[in-house]
Amino acid sequence: MENQITGHTQLAGLYAKPARHSISPLMHTTAFRETGIDAVYLSFDVEPEDLGNSMAAVKTLGMMGVNLSMPHKMAVIEFLDELSPAAELIGAVNTVVNDKGRLIGHNTDGVGFMQALKDIAVEPVGQEMTVIGAGGAATAIISQAALDGVKQINVFNRKDEFYEKIAAKLADIAAKTGCQINLQDLANESALTTALQESMLLVNATGVGMKPNDDLMPIPSAELLTENLAVFDAIYNPRHTRLLQEAAAKGLKTSNGLGMLIHQGAEAFRLWTGQEMPVAVIRPLVEKA
Ligand code: NAP
């Protein structure tokens, strides 16, 4: 059935810059159609200086809500009425729900990550995991894992000018969740070796492995991939990074970032509509896109 635009059709959308490359319109408009919800989802290129007016438009036009992507995930917070516990902890918002004129900020990236792990039957709750990188994706992953009850998270990042700020952020997440979170220098190979021996999951939350560096891995050697590990790479393009290829060659469970991308969208859809996104229909479309 085609989407029929009516006088009642509701609007959701993406605010980003650039926004036009996004697969979210395909995902959500298909999901609206499949679930019989009279709504559409459009992409909007929003300049940083127009974000306030654009968020006001969500209220004045009665939009269901919006997704936020770069560069608006943190800047949007000042225009919201309330934050979910995860968005508060992460300090970034990727989904806003218009709740009868109140704008509620959520962050569904971490939920998407945890759900993607369920797809490969990996359950880190109560266990230890290691994350490479400490940027936006990593912060969402670490925060949700900590909120859900992962016991210990070893985070490795380059020791650059952001390192002290990252340390403070991770200490805050640890204090608020009770999860033990350690930050270490990515160059410390012996610490990384120990962390991976003790972890049940390795997460790459850096862009290392994307083109043009698709021959690189975020860890120094495949020898560090011990048999106790599952390996999750937040990258979805390419689908099979070198890290995932090496892990699969050792028979480890692996997942690329596509599942996280789909499930963060599914969580936003659930927040807007109260319904489950038909992931089985959406996944092949996203894989092809
Ligand atoms: P970001 O905020 O810019 O963070 C990038 C992180 O990678 C930082 O910790 C950075 O360390 C580290 N890094 C960058 N280059 C590195 C290198 N050569 N060696 C070691 N570490 C390096 O980016 P992001 O938004 O978190 O995105 C990170 C990755 O996740 C990207 O591949 C992105 O496509 C993916 N992602 C996937 C999803 C999904 O739904 N699957 C969602 C969001 C992002 P420094 O602090 O030292 O710069």
Side-chain angles (χ1 to χ4, degrees), residues 4 30 32 42 56 60 75 83 93 109 126-127 155-156 161 164-166 169 191 214 226 229 237-238 245 263 267 273:
Q4 289 287 346
T30 305
F32 288 142
L42 301 175
T60 53
L83 291 179
V93 165
D109 282 335
Q127 309 223 50
V155 182
F156 287 83
E161 70 269 29
E164 292 312 318
K165 219 176 136 193
I166 292 167
K169 179 71 192 168
D214 48 345
T226 40
L229 284 171
N237 193 11
Q245 289 175 36
H263 288 300
E267 180 64 6
T273 66

Side-chain angles (χ1 to χ4, degrees), residues 84-90 107 111 114 125 140-150 153 173 176-179 181:
S84 73
E88 178 105 52
L89 193 61
I90 297 163
N107 193 312
V111 174
M114 294 299 284
V125 170
I141 286 169
I142 292 163
S143 298
Q144 194 65 49
L147 282 171
D148 287 1
V150 170
I153 307 176
I173 297 170
K176 286 177 176 157
T177 59
C179 179
I181 305 178

Side-chain angles (χ1 to χ4, degrees), residues 23 26-27 30 33 280-289:
I23 56 140
L26 171 70
M27 228 159 82
T30 305
R33 189 183 64 221
V281 177
I282 303 296
R283 189 186 290 272
L285 296 179
V286 174
E287 271 170 9
K288 236 169 71 183

